[in-house]
Amino acid sequence: PRPSNSSLCARSIISERSCAAMDVIAPRSVHQHGPLGPQQTQFVRHVEPGCPYRADDVMKPEQAVSTGTTIMAVAFDGGVVMGADTRTSTGDYVANRASRKISKVHDNIFVCRCGSAADTQALTGFVINYLGQHSVELGKQPTVNTAANLFKLIAYNNKDNLMAGLIVAGYDDKKGGQVFSIPLGGSVHQVPYACDGSGSGFIGGFIDANYRPGMTKAECLQFVRQSVAHAMARDGSSGGMIRTLVITKDGVEEDAIEGNKLPLDREPVALAVHHVMCS
């Protein structure tokens, strides 16, 4: 049967409304004509009147805040040394040049964070909560191994939704100074030293050439500072300052090196420490 006039009118109204709706959802193409004819097509999103966001933010939204970074930890007899740069970036924009990427988890347990700033901060907050409850139930200080396994448990169970690389390090009375690496995916590995972040690929050779088992506290501190400094010199996502943390049974020692005072000398670590001790 032939459609009636009323049904044809209804179809035309529906098609007009659907086209208008698609015009809001899908980007509209705008053809620019120059003196030499049509130029490259640009796509423009529709901005509703009274929209609280600026038009340029709607057209090109900002990227997520990420800690493209260099983080590192080294264990020595009696404690651990942790180090990190301080640059937090949003795409090509430096959102914070003096951020803290080493977060306190418990009295003598800390974590270095790289990846998504939001993911790692949320993950650290959960572990702080659970570890605090665990410490109250035990009536004593938790171990570094317990903290690392809590990070691993949450990171692994949410591995498809998180972008978080972590280094958990600290000191406890059972095993002394310990370093645990938790890369993307949520596995956990106890290692004598660990380095992660976008800058870690630039200093792999430097670390292999200069790391020695049995280094002293002063040698580990110098080693971490030089490693992070060289990563900052090569990696555009690492920068700012170098923050270091020394964790022993006596407590925590925190220090920072400004960006214009980086230890970029080419001397081997052992010789540099020897000159410092003798001078």
Side-chain angles (χ1 to χ4, degrees), residues 65-69 71 113-120 163-165 184 197-198:
V65 177
S66 63
T67 56
T69 180
I71 56 176
R113 304 175 290 108
C114 71
S116 166
D119 291 352
T120 56
M163 186 175 68
L184 295 176
S198 58

Side-chain angles (χ1 to χ4, degrees), residues 8-184:
L8 289 175
C9 292
R11 288 179 185 177
S12 64
I13 293 173
I14 293 172
S15 63
E16 289 178 2
R17 289 178 178 175
S18 62
C19 290
M22 289 300 295
D23 192 39
V24 174
I25 298 172
R28 294 179 288 114
S29 60
V30 177
H31 297 278
Q32 295 181 349
H33 294 273
L36 301 178
Q39 295 180 347
Q40 186 177 3
T41 301
Q42 293 184 350
F43 293 96
V44 180
R45 289 187 173 91
H46 177 74
V47 181
E48 295 284 350
C51 177
Y53 302 104
R54 297 203 322 257
D56 56 342
D57 283 341
V58 175
M59 302 308 166
K60 294 182 180 180
E62 293 181 349
Q63 300 181 21
V65 177
S66 63
T67 56
T69 180
T70 304
I71 56 176
M72 190 173 179
V74 182
F76 64 91
D77 185 17
V80 294
V81 176
M82 306 179 75
D85 73 306
T86 62
R87 175 173 292 178
T88 298
S89 53
T90 308
D92 297 330
Y93 174 74
V94 178
N96 189 349
R97 65 185 180 90
S99 61
R100 292 181 179 272
K101 301 178 184 179
I102 307 176
S103 300
K104 183 177 180 180
V105 182
H106 211 266
D107 293 346
N108 281 350
I109 305 173
F110 288 77
V111 59
C112 289
R113 304 175 290 108
C114 71
S116 166
D119 291 352
T120 56
Q121 286 174 0
L123 191 57
T124 303
F126 280 118
V127 173
I128 290 173
N129 180 32
Y130 293 140
L131 199 65
Q133 295 180 33
H134 178 67
S135 175
V136 171
E137 291 175 356
L138 288 179
K140 58 182 180 181
Q141 298 291 331
T143 63
V144 185
N145 185 40
T146 301
N149 276 281
L150 273 173
F151 273 106
K152 181 264 297 183
L153 184 67
I154 302 175
Y156 180 78
N157 289 336
N158 300 274
K159 58 182 178 293
D160 295 330
N161 303 315
L162 294 177
M163 186 175 68
L166 307 162
I167 299 175
V168 181
Y171 178 90
D172 60 50
D173 294 331
K174 285 188 175 181
K175 295 184 178 179
Q178 300 153 76
V179 175
F180 292 88
S181 175
I182 305 175
L184 295 176

